[in-house]
């Protein structure tokens, strides 16, 4: 008999862990693309949806509304029924509703469908980190989660690249309000990551940590033996551990889960909760909230900035969109400025490499991670600013 942590370490690190990393990484990538990818979609969908700049903001916020509101409920369901059983059906439905939202023809249909899509991807926002951590041995858990976060930065690279390929195309199929145009195809392309993640989750087992706390030792050992066989290229029967120390089985109830939240607003956790919430709010406010509008801001700045020398970015945007409820009598479709895509791509490259440097620093040391960041800056950012 041995402890769960010791039994987990004996499974090793190999093919199974790479599959878990890429599956959960694609989940996080898909969640980010669904939240932020509308920045490229709405920049060319104004005429088809007949939306004002204010309504564009509402549609962009709709996904985030869906993510935030049911987050506590999804966390409880993940603890009650399992990480995989919660995320897999929710992600499948998220892909379906995302495809439905791509067929929207007006503001309200897009707004409501994006709220439903956000509600479904909310199941995976935090649970994917938990699932990835619990599918990794304790000694490699922190680095694995950091590498999983790097996939989020990869979305900042995938979004402009997909948009760069699809949005400049000029095609239109169908009649009436529902025409298949590039921005709809771009939304279909964004679901590739969700479909890939669903395939990975269908292969992966349930979290062994969750099974240990809710089902007991035998089912946990079966999963650990499977991980061992994948990583060590041996049969599950060769797994040397036959029994592990099993804590009392616990099936959480919703009232109990809510009651435990009181510990978050009392010392000693209160200080940590306040600091972590402030840091997370500042990070996401600076990254996600700004990035939703980055394609539009860069596009307008490149188109109108040279004609208004000396004016600030805020003044240019105010002159263009001073009235957020303005609806033009005749909407003229426009193409995004081509230089918008490489600028957004460079932002994605820098962001992705910063995440990679964090994961690299956890294992190799922060001095080497700092050197890596400087190298990335010299290779990508500085030459582009000269251009």
């Amino acid at each position: 008999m041995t402890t769960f942590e010791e039994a987990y370490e004996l499974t090793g690190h190999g093919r199974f862990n790479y599959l878990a990393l890429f599956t959960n990484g694609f989940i996080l990538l898909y969640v980010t693309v669904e939240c932020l990818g509308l920045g490229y979609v709405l920049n060319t969908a104004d005429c088809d949806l007949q939306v004002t700049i204010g309504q564009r903001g509402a549609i962009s916020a709709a996904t985030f509304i869906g993510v935030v509101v049911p987050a506590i409920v999804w966390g409880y369901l993940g603890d009650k029924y399992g990480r995989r059983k919660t995320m897999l059906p929710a992600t499948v439905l998220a892909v379906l509703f995302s495809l439905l939202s791509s067929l929207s023809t007006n503001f309200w249909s897009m707004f409501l469908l994006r709220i439903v899509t956000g509600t479904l991807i909310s199941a995976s926002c935090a649970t994917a980190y938990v699932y990835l951590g619990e599918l990794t041995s304790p000694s490699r858990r922190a680095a694995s989660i950091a590498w999983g976060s790097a996939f989020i930065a990869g979305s900042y690279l995938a979004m402009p690249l997909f948009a760069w390929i699809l949005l400049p195309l000029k095609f239109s199929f169908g009649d009436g309000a529902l025409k298949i145009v590039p921005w709809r195809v771009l939304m279909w392309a964004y679901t590739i990551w969700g479909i890939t993640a669903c395939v990975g989750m269908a292969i992966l087992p349930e979290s062994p940590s969750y099974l240990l706390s809710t089902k007991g030792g035998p089912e946990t050992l079966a999963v650990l033996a499977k991980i061992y066989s994948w990583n060590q290229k041996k049969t599950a029967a060769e797994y040397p551990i036959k029994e592990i120390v099993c804590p009392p089985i616990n099936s959480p109830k919703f009232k109990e889960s809510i009651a435990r939240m009181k510990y978050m607003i009392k010392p000693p956790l209160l200080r940590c909760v306040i600091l972590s919430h402030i840091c997370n709010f500042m990070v996401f406010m600076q990254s996600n909230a700004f990035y939703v509008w980055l394609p539009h801001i860069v596009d307008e700045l490149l188109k109108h900035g040279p004609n208004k020398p000396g004016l600030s970015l805020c003044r240019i945007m105010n002159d263009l969109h001073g009235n957020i409820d303005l609806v033009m009598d005749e909407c003229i479709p426009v193409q995004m400025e081509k230089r918008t895509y490489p600028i957004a791509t460079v932002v994605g490259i820098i962001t992705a490499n910063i995440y990679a440097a964090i994961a690299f620093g956890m294992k190799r040391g922060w001095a080497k991670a700092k050197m890596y960041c400087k190298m990335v800056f010299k290779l990508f950012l500085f030459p582009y600013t000269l251009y």
Side-chain angles (χ1 to χ4, degrees), residues 192-214:
I192 290 174
W193 313 110
I195 296 170
T196 305
C198 289
V199 173
M201 281 190 285
I203 299 172
L204 290 172
E206 183 54 81
S207 156
S209 298
Y210 166 79
L211 292 175
L212 181 67
S213 62
T214 58

Side-chain angles (χ1 to χ4, degrees), residues 116-143:
V116 176
T117 304
T119 300
L120 292 167
I121 64 173
S122 176
S124 302
C125 284
T127 310
Y129 286 108
V130 177
Y131 190 45
L132 175 58
E134 292 179 351
L135 291 178
T136 310
S137 58
S139 62
R140 295 176 177 264
R141 190 163 292 160

Side-chain angles (χ1 to χ4, degrees), residues 294-347:
L294 177 65
H296 179 70
I297 292 172
V298 174
D299 183 48
E300 296 289 8
L301 186 61
L302 291 174
K303 286 178 179 176
H304 303 285
N307 300 326
K308 300 181 179 181
L311 292 184
S312 66
L313 172 62
C314 293
R315 181 65 182 274
I316 293 172
M317 297 303 294
N318 184 68
D319 291 345
L320 291 171
H321 306 295
N323 184 0
I324 64 172
D325 296 318
L326 178 64
V327 180
M328 293 182 293
D329 295 331
E330 183 180 357
C331 187
I332 303 174
V334 295
Q335 290 287 333
M336 287 180 64
E337 172 65 41
K338 291 183 178 180
R339 287 176 294 172
T340 302
Y341 302 114
I343 291 174
T345 302
V346 169
V347 172

